[in-house]
Amino acid sequence: MPRKGSPMEGIRSTNLPQESIDAIVRSTERLEGAASILAMLEEKAGSESVTPSEIAAVRCVVESCASELDGAWAEA
């Protein structure tokens, strides 16, 4: 167990392969981006139409993250 104030404080040890960890980090960042796009589309929907291509772009990000995460968990 790391000492309080050490650089490793708050970081849990994991047995996941580095590729899986990288996939999780990438997917998290991309999902945060998709959430931001959804927030912008919500605002836009109040005064304008949201196009199918805008919704499809968010769906594409979410689906690709799900696929990448499925692969990461399969390797773990």
Side-chain angles (χ1 to χ4, degrees):
M1 182 69 127
R3 295 176 305 156
K4 186 170 178 90
S6 70
M8 296 297 288
E9 183 178 339
I11 299 175
R12 289 190 272 163
S13 176
T14 180
N15 292 328
L16 290 174
Q18 187 61 44
E19 297 83 23
S20 296
I21 295 169
D22 293 343
I24 292 166
V25 169
R26 276 191 308 272
S27 292
T28 299
E29 292 169 347
R30 290 170 49 209
L31 287 170
E32 288 171 350
S36 294
I37 293 169
L38 282 174
M40 290 187 309
L41 293 176
E42 285 176 337
E43 287 180 26
K44 179 182 177 183
S47 59
E48 301 176 49
S49 294
V50 175
T51 66
S53 63
E54 291 169 323
I55 295 169
V58 176
R59 181 183 45 78
C60 181
V61 171
V62 172
E63 287 177 347
S64 67
C65 288
S67 176
E68 186 172 21
L69 288 171
D70 283 345
W73 288 122
E75 293 174 10

